[in-house]
């Protein structure tokens, strides 16, 4: 990116960040509160179970991003029906960044002033992309900071290796087929990149359908992951319970059918990153032609 283009991009990003700073602060606080509650829940379970080893940062991360075990495989005959326990904590933490995408792609007079100020549609769009990336990273940085603080308070280790006793304390009864050690490093990176891809995809779609429809589509894709085990639905990539860390990478015969392979974070990390790049550049086709100011701009 040349300096001639970089300055208007950074100028636009700064304007977007300044206009949405209150919403960003509210979303980050919300993520901190929900993550703190989930971390506190794990700490209480550890204390009640009398576990000798204090929880690590990886344990607290899994407590926030565990999600739920994959649903019954299609065509299986379960011998024991289990209720669907919707992970509202995980769902809230994952969907909060989608609110940031709405504030970045706001539909009001601000867009007119911002476009006129920078005088370039390229800079206008890329500045919004930069602002979206910054806000998303700040949000997940807040979540990680919450896990780090909880680890320090619990006298645990600041490592992303989850403890062998962790699956027994979390509701992941049909996911814990793999054996320790549970390395969450790639899982953390995949969760952040997938969240960024969701937000950028939502931002791109809003240029065509508007922010409300784009937000509903993002919510539907994430929520649908609770009922369908597929890497196509991004929510599955952000559930620790559905990764190969806790679910072995080949089908396992169970009483209720064949358990599908878990999702290997290292393998899908590159496609997730590529989708971020795609959602950043492809909307330029629309942005360069869209009428923002109500005139006959092409």
């Amino acid at each position: 990116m040349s300096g001639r283009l970089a300055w208007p991009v950074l100028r636009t990003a700064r304007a977007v960040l300044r206009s949405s700073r209150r919403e960003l602060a509210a979303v980050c606080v919300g993520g901190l509160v929900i993550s703190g509650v989930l971390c506190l829940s794990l700490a209480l379970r550890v204390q009640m179970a009398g576990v000798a080893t204090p929880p690590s940062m990886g344990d607290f991360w899994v407590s926030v991003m565990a999600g739920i075990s994959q649903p019954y495989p299609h065509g299986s005959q379960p011998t024991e029906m289990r209720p669907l326990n919707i992970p509202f904590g995980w769902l809230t933490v994952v969907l909060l960044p989608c609110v940031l995408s709405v504030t970045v792609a706001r539909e009001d007079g601000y867009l007119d002033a911002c476009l006129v100020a920078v005088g370039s549609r390229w800079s206008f769009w890329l500045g919004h992309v930069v602002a979206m990336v910054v806000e998303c990273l700040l949000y997940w940085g807040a979540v990680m900071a919450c896990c780090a603080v909880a680890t320090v308070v619990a006298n645990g280790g600041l490592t992303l290796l989850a403890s062998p006793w962790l699956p027994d304390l979390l509701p992941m009864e049909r996911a814990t087929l793999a054996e320790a050690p549970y390395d969450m490093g790639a899982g953390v990176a995949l969760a952040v990149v997938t969240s960024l891809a969701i937000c950028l995809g939502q931002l791109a779609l809003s240029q065509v359908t508007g922010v409300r429809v784009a937000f509903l589509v993002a919510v539907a894709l994430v929520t649908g992951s609770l009922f369908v085990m597929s890497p196509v639905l991004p929510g599955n990539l952000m559930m620790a319970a559905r990764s190969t860390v806790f679910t072995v990478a080949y089908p396992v015969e169970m009483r209720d059918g064949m358990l599908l392979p878990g999702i290997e974070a290292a393998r899908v990390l590159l496609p997730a990153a590529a989708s971020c790049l795609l959602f950043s550049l492809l909307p330029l086709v629309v942005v360069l032609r869209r009428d923002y100011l109500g005139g006959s701009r092409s």
Side-chain angles (χ1 to χ4, degrees):
M1 183 184 296
S2 64
R4 194 173 182 180
L5 178 62
W7 173 244
V9 169
L10 295 177
R11 185 180 177 186
T12 302
R14 184 179 62 179
V16 174
L17 291 171
R18 181 180 301 171
S19 68
S20 60
R21 61 185 181 276
R22 292 186 180 88
E23 292 86 351
L24 174 60
V27 168
C28 288
V29 169
L32 282 171
V33 171
I34 301 300
S35 301
V37 171
L38 295 174
C39 290
L40 179 61
S41 175
L42 176 63
L44 292 176
R45 292 183 183 185
V46 169
Q47 186 175 8
M48 293 177 61
V51 178
T53 306
S56 66
M57 186 173 175
D59 295 325
F60 285 114
W61 171 262
V62 175
S63 70
V64 175
M65 299 298 294
I68 59 173
S69 304
Q70 59 177 274
Y72 291 108
H74 178 69
S76 64
Q77 298 294 328
T79 58
E80 178 185 357
M81 296 302 297
R82 300 168 183 167
L84 176 63
N85 296 319
I86 298 179
F88 290 104
W90 171 88
L91 197 60
T92 304
V93 171
V94 172
L95 288 179
L96 276 176
C98 297
V99 178
L100 296 176
S101 185
V102 173
T103 63
V104 170
R106 54 193 296 181
E107 296 177 336
D108 54 23
Y110 157 77
L111 288 177
D112 297 355
C114 185
L115 180 57
V116 171
V118 297
S120 168
R121 290 173 178 257
W122 282 81
S123 302
F124 174 75
W125 170 251
L126 294 179
H128 280 70
V129 170
V130 171
M132 185 73 263
V133 172
V134 171
E135 292 195 2
C136 192
L137 292 179
L138 286 174
Y139 171 79
W140 286 109
V143 174
M144 289 297 296
C146 180
C147 296
V149 170
T151 305
V152 173
V153 172
N155 294 321
L158 292 174
T159 173
L160 292 177
L161 286 176
S163 304
W165 47 258
L166 180 65
D168 295 331
L169 298 184
L170 294 178
M172 298 161 56
E173 69 280 352
R174 285 189 294 125
T176 55
L177 301 176
E179 298 181 355
Y182 305 122
D183 189 354
M184 301 306 303
V188 172
L190 179 61
V192 175
V193 173
T194 301
S195 178
L196 186 57
I198 295 173
C199 291
L200 290 174
Q202 180 185 341
L203 184 64
L205 185 61
S206 67
Q207 302 303 306
V208 180
T209 64
V211 295
R212 294 177 180 84
V213 174
F215 177 76
L216 292 176
V217 170
V219 171
L221 287 175
V222 174
T223 306
S225 303
L226 299 175
F227 309 97
V228 179
M229 172 63 176
S230 171
V232 177
L233 295 179
N236 288 290
L237 308 182
M238 306 177 73
M239 291 189 197
R242 298 187 181 182
S243 70
T244 53
V245 175
F246 295 102
T247 304
V248 290
Y250 52 86
V252 176
E253 188 172 359
M254 303 180 68
R255 291 184 306 169
D256 52 2
M258 298 293 291
L259 187 66
L260 298 177
I263 298 173
E264 187 174 352
R267 181 171 297 180
V268 296
L269 184 58
L270 183 59
S275 65
C276 292
L277 181 61
L278 177 65
F279 292 141
S280 299
L281 299 179
L282 186 60
L284 280 169
V285 177
V286 177
V287 172
L288 293 177
R289 297 176 176 274
R290 184 178 174 183
D291 181 9
Y292 287 100
L293 305 179
S296 56
R297 303 174 70 90
S298 59

